[in-house]
Amino acid sequence: MSTKVLDIGQAVLQKNQGLADSLRAEFRAKGVFVLNVVSSPGSGKTELLAKTLDVIASEVPTGVIVGDLATDRDAARLEGRGAGVLQVNTDGYCHLEANMVREAVDRLGIEGLRLLIIENVGNLVCPSTHDLGEEMRVVLLSVTEGEDKPLKYPGIFKSSHLALVTKTDIGEAVGWDRETALANIRAVAPQIEILEVSARKGEGMDAWIGFLRKALAGHGPS
Amino acid sequence: MSTKVLDIGQAVLQKNQGLADSLRAEFRAKGVFVLNVVSSPGSGKTELLAKTLDVIASEVPTGVIVGDLATDRDAARLEGRGAGVLQVNTDGYCHLEANMVREAVDRLGIEGLRLLIIENVGNLVCPSTHDLGEEMRVVLLSVTEGEDKPLKYPGIFKSSHLALVTKTDIGEAVGWDRETALANIRAVAPQIEILEVSARKGEGMDAWIGFLRKALAGHGPS
């Protein structure tokens, strides 16, 4: 007797996809460029975004939606950097869904924004299948997480436009095998661009900000 | 300006809770004892359940619902052990929800069952907030995962009735600090019972099976 299998997630995901598509159409119509930033917990999303806001929020009107299981610690770290910040508590949901972004966008207000950054909940699984209507997905991989992560979580790399290797300043201390890691990223996600940064030390931040400026310049109201 | 916070998961979770409560009422009315088995990926859920079925499925009519992101490898390992097995592919959802169990139960059929084991998707976050209508939640913690896991993921331990420390046969090899681990479990979840097993070597399996028999004996149709 063969194993009986029930595919059950598709209907739920299709509903999310429909809502994400309509969000994307709205973002484009309003000229808001939307980033969905995903990674494991502790990969340095908030530190990267704090340093990014310090530069970019004075150049273009920027909003941030921060998803978290609970607490507003991440949002508090992003306050006072020139961007409107809304913390979304998912109450135990390990990822954001398009309906949550819909509600958050209505609450935050995106009229006049040029850039909206969504910091997803720390998780390498569910965010990969949940489109939030973003224009670009950025996956962070810190040097402390191990070179095999792209092979173990291919979905999130396959679905991202850019991989940001973070915490490069401690790569040597933790024995980060850079060549293997980059090869693994490229093996699962040939389409992806790769940048390497240390938000703390500033290494590579110019390239990342330049990447962001270029993306913004190429994205006007539709 | 204080951080704006939007609590968004509650409505979704309340809907799940309502459905879980009705499932539980149905399970009780039919005299089916339902276990929800949760853990990180690789904690040994499937190995434990395979060895458990080898004993218990010949004693009481047993069904198994196996949640997985994709593939039917886990279900295949549980076949041929005397229980009806249904694989549920969540297509990237990192946890089971009550509506998925509802559909799986209808597909598997639970008439005449005395025991239904739900093997949740490997994840220590989302399953903690998603009641599936179970009578008892069992969290596995393998000795390879580190003693600090209960402190980092308190929700799943707080919401479980039993913690099963697994893979005890390799505890010494991986430097498992048993006293610290048990103290951490008890610190976050004073209510929890703790058993230690090696499904591979059979250590502690009698106590676990005895625990299960006792739970089944105390649970008749309501």
Side-chain angles (χ1 to χ4, degrees):
Chain A
M1 194 181 81
S2 67
T3 306
K4 283 190 283 187
V5 178
L6 178 61
D7 280 296
I8 214 162
Q10 282 306 325
V12 186
L13 289 174
Q14 275 167 19
K15 204 170 141 187
N16 185 79
Q17 190 62 53
L19 191 47
D21 289 340
S22 81
L23 274 169
R24 185 157 31 245
E26 180 182 334
F27 294 146
R28 286 180 180 173
K30 293 183 172 164
V32 186
F33 185 78
V34 181
L35 281 184
N36 179 2
V37 182
V38 297
S39 80
S40 287
S43 293
K45 286 189 296 302
T46 311
E47 179 71 5
L48 175 84
L49 294 183
K51 297 294 168 63
T52 302
L53 290 181
D54 287 345
V55 178
I56 210 82
S58 60
E59 299 180 6
V60 296
T62 303
V64 186
I65 294 169
V66 183
D68 224 326
L69 296 170
T71 82
D72 63 358
R73 288 183 53 187
D74 284 0
R77 286 173 60 194
L78 298 177
E79 285 285 330
R81 298 174 190 271
V85 180
L86 177 71
Q87 173 84 38
V88 172
N89 283 347
T90 60
D91 299 303
Y93 251 76
C94 65
H95 60 284
L96 291 173
E97 303 198 348
N99 62 346
M100 300 178 186
V101 171
R102 168 78 275 162
E103 208 173 314
V105 158
D106 293 342
R107 173 77 79 92
L108 178 68
I110 60 164
E111 294 299 328
L113 289 188
R114 279 282 290 130
L115 174 63
L116 175 64
I117 301 174
I118 303 172
E119 181 182 337
N120 217 314
V121 181
N123 177 356
L124 282 179
V125 181
C126 286
S128 72
T129 47
H130 286 83
D131 188 350
L132 304 180
E134 71 267 21
E135 203 63 41
M136 184 179 285
R137 188 175 293 177
V138 180
V139 58
L140 271 58
L141 175 67
S142 84
V143 299
T144 65
E145 293 173 63
E147 300 78 13
D148 63 338
K149 279 292 172 304
L151 305 179
K152 291 176 79 172
Y153 300 94
I156 199 78
F157 288 87
K158 279 181 203 298
S159 68
S160 293
H161 303 84
L162 173 70
L164 265 182
V165 175
T166 60
K167 307 189 186 182
T168 54
D169 55 305
I170 56 169
E172 202 173 312
V174 300
W176 172 247
D177 180 349
R178 177 177 178 270
E179 293 312 314
T180 299
L182 299 191
N184 286 346
I185 294 173
R186 290 195 181 100
V188 300
Q191 88 294 345
I192 214 165
E193 290 200 56
I194 304 176
L195 291 173
E196 298 163 274
V197 298
S198 162
R200 193 169 62 169
K201 300 275 186 179
E203 294 162 12
M205 287 297 286
D206 284 349
W208 154 242
I209 297 286
F211 178 91
L212 203 49
R213 284 192 189 116
K214 200 173 146 193
L216 281 161
H219 183 84
S222 62
Chain B
M1 196 181 81
S2 66
T3 305
K4 284 190 283 187
V5 178
L6 177 62
D7 280 297
I8 212 160
Q10 281 306 326
V12 186
L13 289 174
Q14 275 167 19
K15 204 170 142 186
N16 185 78
Q17 190 60 52
L19 191 47
D21 289 339
S22 82
L23 274 168
R24 187 158 30 245
E26 179 182 335
F27 293 147
R28 285 180 180 171
K30 292 181 172 165
V32 187
F33 184 79
V34 180
L35 281 185
N36 180 3
V37 182
V38 298
S39 81
S40 285
S43 293
K45 286 189 296 300
T46 312
E47 180 72 6
L48 174 84
L49 294 182
K51 297 294 169 62
T52 302
L53 291 180
D54 287 345
V55 178
I56 210 82
S58 62
E59 299 178 7
V60 295
T62 303
V64 185
I65 294 170
V66 183
D68 224 327
L69 296 170
T71 84
D72 64 357
R73 289 183 54 187
D74 283 0
R77 286 172 61 195
L78 298 176
E79 285 286 330
R81 299 175 190 269
V85 179
L86 178 70
Q87 173 83 37
V88 172
N89 283 346
T90 59
D91 299 304
Y93 251 76
C94 64
H95 61 283
L96 292 173
E97 303 198 350
N99 62 345
M100 301 178 185
V101 171
R102 168 79 274 162
E103 208 172 312
V105 158
D106 293 342
R107 174 76 79 91
L108 178 68
I110 58 165
E111 294 298 329
L113 289 188
R114 280 281 290 130
L115 173 64
L116 175 64
I117 301 174
I118 303 172
E119 181 183 337
N120 217 316
V121 180
N123 177 358
L124 282 180
V125 180
C126 286
S128 71
T129 47
H130 287 83
D131 188 350
L132 303 179
E134 71 266 21
E135 204 62 43
M136 184 178 284
R137 187 174 294 177
V138 180
V139 58
L140 271 58
L141 174 67
S142 84
V143 298
T144 65
E145 292 173 65
E147 299 79 13
D148 63 339
K149 279 292 173 302
L151 306 180
K152 290 176 79 172
Y153 300 94
I156 200 77
F157 288 86
K158 279 182 202 298
S159 68
S160 293
H161 302 84
L162 174 70
L164 265 181
V165 175
T166 60
K167 306 190 186 182
T168 54
D169 56 305
I170 56 170
E172 201 173 311
V174 299
W176 173 246
D177 179 349
R178 177 177 178 270
E179 293 313 315
T180 299
L182 299 192
N184 286 346
I185 295 173
R186 290 195 181 100
V188 301
Q191 88 294 346
I192 213 163
E193 290 200 56
I194 303 177
L195 291 173
E196 298 162 277
V197 298
S198 161
R200 193 169 62 170
K201 300 276 184 179
E203 293 162 12
M205 287 297 285
D206 285 348
W208 153 241
I209 297 285
F211 178 92
L212 204 49
R213 283 193 190 115
K214 201 172 146 193
L216 280 161
H219 183 84
S222 61

